Amino acid sequence: MSLQSMGIGWMNALMGIVTGLVIFLPFYVLRILGAGDVKLLAAVGGFVGYPDILQVALLTGIAGGVLTMLIATYSGQLMQIATKFRQAMWLVFIRLMTGYKQHNFEKTTQVTQLPYALAISLGTLGYAILHVI
């Protein structure tokens, strides 16, 4: 962890950056996350290094899931989000099995977007708490 007196070293930091990019890049390609979210996790990877970025990513995923459920429930959009998720997973399955690229999602109303930087921050904070205590 970078809180150590000698730091984590440049190679460990570089591996953390690359791992952070690789973990979130598929979500950017699928348009689930924005490029800023991917870069933020990569930056966190530079501070915590490899393999600790894997713990941060796991905690971030948990925080993101909890936040998504809370926001979806509060805004009354849980069913719309579930429909979009089902459609996205079906599209990924079709693309993997057939290579077919056309997609026609059924139209739904605008869904509230999750500020995923908050989930990344909570995941990073959870990692820091687990390693400091």
Side-chain angles (χ1 to χ4, degrees):
M1 184 168 166
S2 59
L3 296 177
Q4 298 170 348
S5 61
M6 297 300 291
I8 61 173
W10 71 271
M11 188 58 135
N12 198 0
L14 181 61
M15 288 298 296
I17 291 169
V18 170
T19 303
L21 282 173
V22 168
I23 290 172
F24 271 19
L25 198 57
F27 298 108
Y28 170 73
V29 171
L30 293 172
R31 297 181 185 202
I32 295 171
L33 295 177
D37 298 323
V38 176
K39 292 182 276 189
L40 180 58
L41 188 68
V44 170
F47 284 100
V48 299
Y50 180 85
D52 291 349
I53 189 62
L54 299 173
Q55 291 177 339
V56 172
L58 176 64
L59 292 171
T60 295
I62 292 168
V66 169
L67 285 172
T68 298
M69 294 304 291
L70 289 173
I71 291 173
T73 302
Y74 179 74
S75 66
Q77 297 178 330
L78 188 58
M79 292 308 295
Q80 293 170 340
I81 290 173
T83 299
K84 283 193 172 224
F85 180 76
R86 179 184 49 82
Q87 290 173 344
M89 292 301 104
W90 184 246
L91 176 63
V92 168
F93 175 74
I94 290 172
R95 284 184 179 176
L96 288 174
M97 294 298 146
T98 65
Y100 186 69
K101 297 201 186 297
Q102 183 179 357
H103 63 281
N104 293 320
F105 288 155
E106 65 183 62
K107 300 294 181 193
T108 58
T109 59
Q110 180 65 27
V111 176
T112 304
Q113 290 188 335
L114 173 68
Y116 213 74
L118 177 59
I120 296 170
S121 300
L122 290 173
T124 305
L125 179 63
Y127 166 83
I129 290 170
L130 288 174
H131 283 80
V132 170
I133 294 177

